Amino acid sequence: MEKVTLADAFASIDERWDPRLAGELNGQAVKLAKAEGEFVWHSHADADELFLVTEGRLRIEFRDRDDAVLEEGELLVVPRGTEHRPVAEPEANILLFEPAGTRNTGDVENELTREDLEQVDD
Amino acid sequence: MEKVTLADAFASIDERWDPRLAGELNGQAVKLAKAEGEFVWHSHADADELFLVTEGRLRIEFRDRDDAVLEEGELLVVPRGTEHRPVAEPEANILLFEPAGTRNTGDVENELTREDLEQVDD
């Protein structure tokens, strides 16, 4: 049982769009990612996904509705099955909460796909 | 699908230790609470509980180990079955992640117990 200091944890991450595990509870994972620019369009068939911006700005695009723009201290839950594309403008630090094992690129597998996430340094 | 601005949401809460629902996903709840002073010793038999401090300082006391002191931007997961007592020093804004329906006072029922939480204003 160790606390995580978000500023230190984000400072330890070099890569963009490379989520790290900050904790697991009740079958869910808390992940931290540094974001820059456009991610890939994707959806998660079985996972609702929470985004909380702790620094910067993240726009989340949807196919059938207006974008959501999250500033520092704002959160949004994207329901399962909802196609979305995160775009950091220009950069953002993001905390995600979702079922453990949820793949970052959902139904898409490409060069941005990350599995078997490392634990974050804190 | 509406974003929650934490600052606005906390500003809408008058009571201390009176958690509000900020979202639900995957059977889990995101709750926001304003904390002041001592809460009650309790545990949750079936629920790991995440505390994230967004303002102020929260000390979490345990029976058999040192206190955890969480400042703004720090999080801790308290495993299920772990007796704990949150103490805000002197005040804190707290975001909690835990299974939907988890009772704030766990195995204890007293004047601080809250059930059927209201949705937060945001």
Side-chain angles (χ1 to χ4, degrees), chain B residues 76-93:
Chain B
L76 182 74
V77 175
V78 176
R80 62 191 62 196
T82 304
E83 204 178 6
H84 60 285
R85 182 169 75 153
V87 182
E89 297 184 319
E91 294 185 298
N93 290 349

Side-chain angles (χ1 to χ4, degrees), chain A residues 37-106:
Chain A
E38 296 174 357
F39 197 60
V40 61
W41 279 104
H42 69 284
S43 64
H44 307 278
D46 300 317
D48 309 320
E49 189 169 45
L50 180 145
F51 295 84
L52 169 63
V53 172
T54 68
E55 197 173 320
R57 173 189 292 143
L58 185 73
R59 185 161 49 83
I60 305 180
E61 300 178 0
F62 302 98
R63 294 294 192 191
D64 301 318
R65 50 171 293 156
D66 291 345
D67 300 351
V69 178
L70 305 182
E71 311 277 355
E72 180 176 330
E74 296 191 321
L75 66 85
L76 182 74
V77 175
V78 176
R80 60 190 63 196
T82 305
E83 204 178 6
H84 60 286
R85 181 169 76 154
V87 181
E89 296 185 322
E91 294 185 298
N93 290 348
I94 309 167
L95 182 152
L96 298 126
F97 189 56
E98 60 193 4
T102 301
R103 185 158 80 170
N104 63 330
T105 54

Side-chain angles (χ1 to χ4, degrees), chain B:
Chain B
M1 200 187 339
E2 293 292 332
K3 74 175 180 181
V4 174
T5 301
L6 294 179
D8 294 348
F10 281 114
S12 76
I13 302 175
D14 291 326
E15 298 298 310
R16 301 303 184 263
W17 302 117
D18 185 21
R20 307 294 166 87
L21 266 180
E24 290 199 67
L25 68 163
N26 307 304
Q28 313 291 307
V30 181
K31 302 176 184 177
L32 305 179
K34 293 189 74 79
E36 185 176 358
E38 297 173 357
F39 198 59
V40 61
W41 279 104
H42 68 284
S43 64
H44 307 278
D46 301 317
D48 309 319
E49 188 169 47
L50 181 145
F51 295 84
L52 169 62
V53 172
T54 68
E55 197 174 321
R57 173 189 291 144
L58 185 72
R59 184 161 49 85
I60 305 179
E61 301 178 359
F62 302 99
R63 294 294 192 193
D64 300 319
R65 50 171 293 154
D66 291 345
D67 300 351
V69 178
L70 304 182
E71 311 277 355
E72 181 176 328
E74 296 190 323
L75 66 85
L76 182 74
V77 175
V78 176
R80 62 191 62 196
T82 304
E83 204 178 6
H84 60 285
R85 182 169 75 153
V87 182
E89 297 184 319
E91 294 185 298
N93 290 349
I94 310 167
L95 182 152
L96 299 124
F97 283 135
E98 60 194 5
T102 301
R103 185 159 81 172
N104 64 330
T105 54
D107 57 325
V108 172
E109 183 162 2
N110 68 9
E111 71 283 0
L112 290 168
T113 299
R114 297 288 181 276
E115 310 204 68
D116 303 318
L117 305 187
E118 286 174 47
Q119 196 79 24
V120 77
D121 294 325
D122 53 358

